Amino acid sequence: MAKRVAVIGAGVSGLSSIKCCLDEELEPTCFERSNDFGGLWKFTEISKDGMTRVYKSLVTNICKEMSCYSDFPFQEDYPNFMRQEKFWNYLQEFAEHFDLLKYIQFRTTVCSVTKRPDFSKTGQWDVVTETDGKQNRAVFDAVMVCTGHFLNPRLPLETFPGIHTFKGQILHSQEYKTPERFQGKRILVIGLGNTGGDIAVELSRTAAQVLLSTRTGTWVISRSSDGGYPCNMMTIRRHHNFVAQVLPSRVLKWIQEKHMNKRFDHANYGLSITKGKKPKKIVNDELPTCILCGTVTVKTSVKEFGESSVLFEDGTVETNIDVVIFATGYTFSLPFLEEPLRSLCTKKIFLYKQVFPSNLERTTLAMIGFIGLTGSILAGTELQARWATRVFKGLCKLPPSQKLMAEATKKEQLIERGLMKDTREDKLDFISYLDDLAACIGAKPNVPLLFLKDPRLAWEVFFGPCTPYQYRLMGPGKWDGARNAILTQWDRTLKPLKTRIVPDSSRPASLLHYLKAWGVPLLLASFLLLCKSSLFLKLVPEKLQDKISPYLVRIR
């Protein structure tokens, strides 16, 4: 049974890993190379430690109710989408509430994590760390790697002909902090993910012109949905997932495209997905307006650079370019692991449920947070940590490593031969993935049972937003406040919006309100009536037969 656990990194996933260790009565020691917790959410003007930090104006793109720790809701007055500083304050509240900071060793770099000679029996690891130039060695029963995948900037200069002749400034989005130093310049942003879109929009307010280059295009989603409610809360729902699994993929794709083009026609804005490319989505409220106003111009992929010019694939040329910003993502590395484990962990296909390396005979190493989800990463990493700590403790079992390696190798071969679709870089469906992990620990919500025991709660769980609290309703880690958190989630959503109460603004309750209030009772009443009517229809012919039979005899 694992006792001492090394947690590498004190970001979002590191904090939840510390807490999950404590929940399972394990002994965590967290190593954080910077001087504070929060990982990339801790803003600094200059990243001296080489770590990736958010830019100052960053706003979360998943609302607070969908991206909180499952037993620690945001305060009701927090905005639904918040600046990085506000989100870091939430992390601080979480860490202080559960007294996590005393388990973190700051300014400590992990140099190596290696198997002990008796690993096949004990599953233990030698962990070498360095603090202020002094190295320390310690033995741990398990290790949780929480360094995330925003480590090394991906700067693919070699794929851009002529880039070395370009005399302007070249930087990666990791270096971007504020827009002031780009005042009056002509800027090219390469890459249209969430970061590329955000930077292009912010620079458009100060730069002379912003050009935004994309190879594939993207769907652009707003933070607010119909009615002004947070988009995530309206779309990430269990009944939507159920419908998506039933509908043919072509029909589902047509419905989604029609809905996303309802706000604006992506083809008219140069944002539609290139044929043959995988569809992707970003969250950005202002990009369409910036394109409409001409402060941001969407361009195709770059063909070649000149000294101050750029030739694009469509043959157009833009001159007098001052700055090129590569928003081309990151590659993650694990320099402290030994080979072949290091290379294996970088291949998601060899991570069982995106957490456990398939080749280890002892499941005492967990990769936490190395995932892409269609919903909150925070919620996903917390459930990963809950599962991993129970595996360390021996309460959850994994298939044999030989079986896992054989399955992963076979899958990799099928992908290489083109016999299986390569989904390694695709984002995982939020509900499906979290349900899968929750099932492993016995915390997956039993919706049919809830409808029998607590119809009101069941209605919110199935038809309402799939908030993280749902995974605290039952099983190990059950939280007594989960039910109330679910039933009051809309109160916390609307609270920060109602800063001006208009006395005469009352209006009749919406149809949705009545459906929520009376839907389940009406369904039960209908069911009872149906049962009674079935019994009635069965009894009526018998009674009529008794009454009519004498007359029939007389007629005969």
Side-chain angles (χ1 to χ4, degrees):
M1 182 185 295
K3 291 290 185 180
R4 298 190 66 205
V5 181
V7 179
I8 305 176
V12 167
S13 55
L15 291 176
S16 59
S17 294
I18 297 171
K19 179 182 176 296
C20 290
C21 284
L22 297 174
D23 289 343
E24 294 296 339
E25 300 180 341
L26 302 174
E27 301 171 11
T29 301
C30 180
F31 303 109
E32 169 57 45
R33 62 174 174 166
S34 70
N35 61 359
D36 213 336
F37 63 90
L40 59 84
W41 288 99
K42 180 62 178 178
F43 173 78
T44 56
E45 292 288 347
I46 301 174
S47 299
K48 293 182 180 179
D49 49 17
M51 293 181 62
T52 300
R53 310 283 189 173
V54 294
Y55 37 95
K56 193 170 186 177
S57 63
L58 184 135
V59 176
T60 57
N61 56 22
I62 298 178
C63 65
K64 64 178 182 179
E65 290 301 308
M66 301 296 291
S67 189
C68 63
Y69 292 111
S70 58
D71 56 356
F72 193 75
F74 279 87
Q75 296 179 33
E76 62 177 10
D77 60 342
Y78 269 50
N80 286 284
F81 298 95
M82 61 199 76
R83 299 278 290 267
Q84 52 81 22
E85 183 180 6
K86 198 77 172 176
F87 186 81
W88 188 85
N89 289 341
Y90 169 73
L91 296 180
Q92 183 177 33
E93 292 168 5
F94 175 78
E96 291 177 350
H97 179 80
F98 292 106
D99 198 19
L100 306 180
L101 298 182
K102 66 183 180 181
Y103 298 97
I104 305 175
Q105 296 183 14
F106 293 106
R107 299 186 183 88
T108 301
T109 301
V110 175
C111 302
S112 67
V113 176
T114 56
K115 298 178 185 177
R116 286 184 59 78
D118 58 352
F119 179 83
S120 59
K121 292 183 178 180
T122 65
Q124 291 182 328
W125 301 85
D126 276 323
V127 178
V128 177
T129 60
E130 183 176 314
T131 307
D132 298 326
K134 182 182 179 181
Q135 285 198 348
N136 296 285
R137 181 184 298 270
V139 177
F140 288 91
D141 299 294
V143 177
M144 303 176 81
V145 180
C146 307
T147 52
H149 50 245
F150 295 103
L151 290 179
N152 301 320
R154 182 176 175 271
L155 198 60
L157 299 181
E158 67 281 355
T159 63
F160 292 89
I163 187 67
H164 298 294
T165 66
F166 180 70
K167 294 185 176 181
Q169 184 182 4
I170 298 173
L171 66 151
H172 189 272
S173 57
Q174 184 197 46
E175 303 172 64
Y176 178 84
K177 300 297 179 182
T178 58
E180 286 76 20
R181 63 185 176 125
F182 301 100
Q183 179 80 38
K185 296 185 178 182
R186 285 174 55 81
I187 301 169
L188 169 64
V189 178
I190 297 178
L192 182 48
N194 282 305
T195 301
D198 283 350
I199 291 175
V201 166
E202 183 169 54
L203 287 174
S204 70
R205 304 187 186 104
T206 57
Q209 180 64 47
V210 176
L211 307 171
L212 182 56
S213 171
T214 173
R215 292 184 295 112
T216 61
T218 187
W219 296 110
V220 181
I221 302 170
S222 175
R223 287 178 173 82
S224 63
S225 183
D226 296 340
Y229 300 106
C231 183
N232 317 119
M233 296 185 74
M234 303 303 289
T235 56
I236 302 179
R237 301 185 172 205
R238 291 187 177 276
H239 76 281
H240 287 169
N241 249 39
F242 175 77
V243 172
Q245 291 172 6
V246 173
L247 285 178
S249 58
R250 288 186 179 182
V251 175
L252 185 64
K253 181 182 177 182
W254 178 81
I255 293 173
Q256 291 174 340
E257 290 182 359
K258 188 174 179 64
H259 177 74
M260 286 184 284
N261 275 323
K262 187 177 179 181
R263 181 184 170 206
F264 69 94
D265 191 323
H266 284 65
N268 291 340
Y269 284 66
L271 295 170
S272 56
I273 305 293
T274 304
K275 189 175 181 180
K277 298 293 185 180
K278 290 183 179 180
K280 65 176 184 177
K281 302 174 185 176
I282 67 168
V283 177
N284 199 301
D285 303 300
E286 300 177 66
L287 182 58
T289 302
C290 290
I291 296 172
L292 196 63
C293 296
T295 55
V296 173
T297 302
V298 179
K299 305 293 292 185
T300 60
S301 55
V302 173
K303 186 175 182 179
E304 188 177 2
F305 279 93
E307 290 185 357
S308 62
S309 62
V310 181
L311 171 65
F312 295 91
E313 289 290 349
D314 60 2
T316 59
V317 178
E318 293 287 345
T319 57
N320 300 320
I321 303 298
D322 300 300
V323 182
V324 177
I325 300 176
F326 283 87
T328 44
Y330 297 82
T331 59
F332 71 89
S333 62
L334 304 163
F336 45 80
L337 292 181
E338 57 187 343
E339 292 291 358
L341 182 59
R342 181 193 306 171
S343 298
L344 199 77
C345 288
T346 59
K347 297 181 180 180
K348 292 183 179 180
I349 199 170
F350 285 97
L351 291 178
Y352 180 61
K353 296 188 187 299
Q354 314 295 314
V355 177
F356 288 99
S358 302
N359 68 327
L360 295 179
E361 61 269 40
R362 294 285 180 175
T363 52
T364 56
L365 176 69
M367 311 295 292
I368 308 297
F370 293 83
I371 50 171
L373 294 175
T374 57
S376 166
I377 298 294
L378 183 151
T381 58
E382 183 192 27
L383 209 44
Q384 285 182 329
R386 287 175 63 188
W387 177 45
T389 49
R390 290 185 67 78
V391 171
F392 295 159
K393 202 173 179 181
L395 299 174
C396 295
K397 302 295 182 182
L398 269 61
S401 60
Q402 297 89 342
K403 181 180 178 181
L404 295 179
M405 278 299 292
E407 291 176 351
T409 303
K410 183 179 179 181
K411 188 175 180 180
E412 185 181 45
Q413 290 172 350
L414 290 173
I415 291 173
E416 290 174 352
R417 291 161 58 187
L419 300 176
M420 180 183 286
K421 185 180 179 182
D422 188 358
T423 59
R424 285 174 289 188
E425 299 303 320
D426 294 355
K427 289 188 176 182
L428 300 171
D429 179 76
F430 178 77
I431 296 178
S432 300
Y433 182 66
L434 265 65
D435 275 0
D436 188 24
L437 293 182
C440 293
I441 61 176
K444 179 183 176 181
N446 189 331
V447 179
L449 181 63
L450 282 177
F451 267 111
L452 293 175
K453 295 176 61 177
D454 194 339
R456 183 188 175 196
L457 176 62
W459 181 276
E460 288 296 335
V461 169
F462 189 71
F463 292 104
C466 185
T467 45
Y469 322 121
Q470 293 191 10
Y471 299 100
R472 292 285 184 178
L473 288 170
M474 54 189 64
K478 179 181 177 181
W479 174 45
D480 291 338
R483 182 183 187 274
N484 183 64
I486 293 171
L487 297 180
T488 58
Q489 57 198 7
W490 285 108
D491 296 333
R492 289 188 299 279
T493 299
L494 297 177
K495 173 68 175 179
L497 303 180
K498 295 184 175 181
T499 55
R500 174 178 174 264
I501 306 301
V502 183
D504 61 347
S505 64
S506 59
R507 57 181 180 177
S510 65
L511 176 62
L512 180 62
H513 172 80
Y514 286 118
L515 283 174
K516 284 184 176 181
W518 296 100
V520 173
L522 285 173
L523 284 173
L524 291 174
S526 301
F527 178 76
L528 291 173
L529 285 172
L530 184 62
C531 292
K532 287 183 177 180
S533 63
S534 300
L535 183 61
F536 175 78
L537 291 173
K538 181 180 179 182
L539 293 174
V540 165
E542 295 176 358
K543 295 292 183 182
L544 287 175
Q545 182 70 25
D546 294 339
K547 297 288 185 182
I548 295 173
S549 293
Y551 295 99
L552 291 175
V553 172
R554 290 174 188 175
I555 292 172
R556 286 175 182 171

